[in-house]
Amino acid sequence: MTNGTIRIPEYIKEVLSRLHKWGYEAYSVGGCVRDSLLGKEPSDWDIATSALPDQIKEVFHGCRTLETGLKHGTLTVFPQPDAPSVEITTFRVDGEYADHRHPERVTFTGNLREDLARRDFTINAMALGENGLIDLFHGFSDLQNKVIRCVGEADRRFEEDGLRILRALRFAAVLDFTIEKETARAMERKRSLLQYIAPERIFSEWKKLLCGQNAVDVLRKYVGVVAEILPELTPMCGFEQHSVYHCYDVWEHSLHATEHTPSLFPLRMAALFHDAGKPYTFFRAADGTGHFYGHAKKSAEIAEELLIRLRADSVSREKVVFLVARHDLSLPPDEILLKKRLRRFGEENIRDLFVIQRADASALAEPGKKLKELDAAEAVFEKILEEEQCFSLRNMKITGNDLKAYISPGPEMGRLLSFLLDSVIEGTCENKKDALLCEAQRWFQKQKRYIGESSMEKSDGME
């Protein structure tokens, strides 16, 4: 957190200077001010000005411009050929939000206070001018105290735009802030407004929220709000596992697993939903012990349906579904079996499965034994990679071209190559070209004998 001193990039100074020379007010506003005060490098800079859209065009005549949101007073300007673009927006007051997302109309104003008063949170309602920070709603104090607070009446802010509810959660998770009490109560009261938000916008906010440093605490405290967009969470809450291996219900176990996962969306998402299928697969034995046969498959189905509904990108969806479906895949400290796993799933996927299994184990009643087993397995895994042991066709010292003397390209050659790879992995054949050719000859002779015996059997049958 800085003391309020902000370094403004030269190209932004140029934009502000131009507007000032033409007699207009102009300020850096919003997220760029917030991030700068937090000591972070803003990803972009936004400018608010008293100039009307046509006047902004006149000021920047000769510069490349894009009319990205002209009806709302926004013009995108490229002040220098090699500088980033800058969004410049006329001070405005928003009209009614009939869809709880976008204003029906906007009214331009010459008053900075009116423009800042329409913004979501105090930490986003500060402006930076020639004479320093303009903080009309105590945003700097809230930044110092790590508080998320709505500007003005919280219910009204959320009624205007339901996405602000998710943004509050996201800021709390990413910045490790708390949400002010009245703002939090308004979120609970207005959470049904999330139904008006487009799935793509929900997914965008959800990804950032889940990867935040304080994500688990936010999810634990506001699960009712989050369940408005992810109702799949509700059955997990309070669902007891009735197992000596578990000291938490399904929801708390999932949260603890997520807490032990790196801040990468597919990993965090997989950790949170790896047991989502348990409430649907629960079986209690005669001795009272709980079992969840097939829960991994059910959990993967739930995660996939959820991500499709949110229109998640295919790469994230496929990775999450893979990890959830196989989160309990056996990964013992066995060289042969691990090489077979590597052959089937690849290095990256196995590494990710180790992460998920370690997170899952960390949320058990007594994680020590399982974590030691994973340590041993990972040591074997790393040894395989360091020694460049063969576990895929590309590692074999033989190719299809070397086998053309014995067999034509096609499905049968594929079967032969697969057999040779199995032989190398299981240690029955060295990964050397001569040894592999000898093994191929034996395989081919065996296949010819098999075909000959089959033909004789058919002939006997016909007689």
Side-chain angles (χ1 to χ4, degrees), residues 199 301-312 317 321:
E301 291 171 358
I302 291 170
E304 183 167 35
E305 289 172 6
L306 183 161
L307 290 169
I308 289 172
R309 186 180 75 245
L310 295 184
R311 299 178 187 172
R317 185 179 74 243
V321 172

Side-chain angles (χ1 to χ4, degrees), residues 148-201:
I148 305 296
R149 185 195 313 270
C150 280
V151 176
E153 187 183 343
D155 286 77
R156 181 178 177 183
R157 293 287 82 83
F158 294 136
E159 285 170 3
E160 290 170 343
D161 184 356
L163 186 63
R164 289 169 172 169
I165 297 171
L166 273 187
R167 282 171 58 82
L169 295 176
R170 188 249 292 182
F171 283 127
V174 171
L175 300 176
D176 193 14
F177 280 22
T178 58
I179 299 175
E180 180 266 332
K181 288 182 180 179
E182 183 50 38
T183 300
R185 284 193 285 263
M187 284 167 47
E188 296 283 354
R189 289 192 295 267
K190 300 298 179 180
R191 64 190 187 185
S192 63
L193 295 174
L194 290 168
Q195 65 183 293
Y196 295 97
I197 309 304
E200 296 91 342
R201 297 307 303 271

Side-chain angles (χ1 to χ4, degrees), residues 94-377:
D94 294 339
E96 293 297 316
Y97 287 73
D99 64 352
H100 301 287
R101 182 70 185 95
H102 305 98
E104 292 289 292
R105 59 183 176 79
V106 300
T107 303
F108 299 134
T109 176
N111 189 308
L112 175 64
R113 171 180 278 276
E114 289 181 335
D115 183 83
L116 296 177
R118 69 179 175 82
R119 296 174 185 267
D120 52 7
F121 310 113
T122 60
I123 61 172
N124 296 331
M126 293 179 283
L128 187 64
E130 289 180 296
N131 298 318
L133 187 68
I134 298 174
D135 181 17
L136 305 177
F137 301 98
H138 310 293
F140 186 70
S141 173
D142 283 341
L143 268 188
Q144 288 180 311
N145 295 319
K146 297 187 174 184
V147 171
I148 305 296
R149 185 195 313 270
C150 280
V151 176
E153 187 183 343
D155 286 77
R156 181 178 177 183
R157 293 287 82 83
F158 294 136
E159 285 170 3
E160 290 170 343
D161 184 356
L163 186 63
R164 289 169 172 169
I165 297 171
L166 273 187
R167 282 171 58 82
L169 295 176
R170 188 249 292 182
F171 283 127
V174 171
L175 300 176
D176 193 14
F177 280 22
T178 58
I179 299 175
E180 180 266 332
K181 288 182 180 179
E182 183 50 38
T183 300
R185 284 193 285 263
M187 284 167 47
E188 296 283 354
R189 289 192 295 267
K190 300 298 179 180
R191 64 190 187 185
S192 63
L193 295 174
L194 290 168
Q195 65 183 293
Y196 295 97
I197 309 304
E200 296 91 342
R201 297 307 303 271
I202 288 175
F203 181 64
S204 177
E205 291 294 331
W206 170 244
K207 282 178 67 175
K208 297 171 187 174
L209 188 166
L210 189 58
C211 293
Q213 58 181 317
N214 194 34
V216 169
D217 287 342
V218 169
L219 291 173
R220 181 178 285 117
K221 190 169 184 178
Y222 298 103
V223 62
V225 177
V226 178
E228 285 290 325
I229 57 167
L230 303 176
E232 293 84 355
L233 298 178
T234 302
M236 299 161 65
C237 298
F239 198 97
E240 296 296 338
Q241 305 200 56
H242 300 284
S243 167
V244 295
Y245 302 108
H246 290 282
C247 54
Y248 304 115
D249 65 29
V250 175
W251 174 236
E252 276 298 322
H253 169 79
S254 301
L255 288 177
H256 279 79
T258 303
E259 198 166 30
H260 286 87
T261 307
S263 295
L264 298 170
F265 177 74
L267 296 176
R268 283 273 175 103
M269 188 73 180
L272 189 64
F273 282 90
H274 76 281
D275 281 349
K278 279 190 171 181
Y280 304 94
T281 57
F282 178 66
F283 166 74
R284 198 165 186 180
D287 64 358
T289 302
H291 300 279
F292 305 91
Y293 302 118
H295 83 275
K297 180 175 182 291
K298 180 63 178 177
S299 299
E301 291 171 358
I302 291 170
E304 183 167 35
E305 289 172 6
L306 183 161
L307 290 169
I308 289 172
R309 186 180 75 245
L310 295 184
R311 299 178 187 172
D313 61 281
S314 60
V315 173
S316 294
R317 185 179 74 243
E318 289 168 8
K319 172 66 81 172
V320 171
V321 172
F322 169 83
L323 293 174
V324 173
R326 293 175 175 82
H327 75 268
D328 55 0
L329 179 73
S330 176
L331 295 173
D334 181 302
E335 203 167 86
I336 292 175
L337 183 55
L338 284 177
K339 283 192 282 189
K340 287 183 176 181
R341 298 285 194 245
L342 278 163
R343 174 190 180 182
R344 182 177 178 189
F345 302 119
E347 179 185 343
E348 180 184 325
N349 283 330
I350 297 301
R351 284 194 183 281
D352 288 343
L353 282 173
F354 272 124
V355 171
I356 295 300
Q357 290 196 8
R358 188 172 288 281
D360 192 10
S362 297
L364 296 175
E366 295 181 6
K369 181 180 178 182
K370 179 62 177 176
L371 290 173
K372 285 181 181 178
E373 290 174 358
L374 288 170
D375 286 341

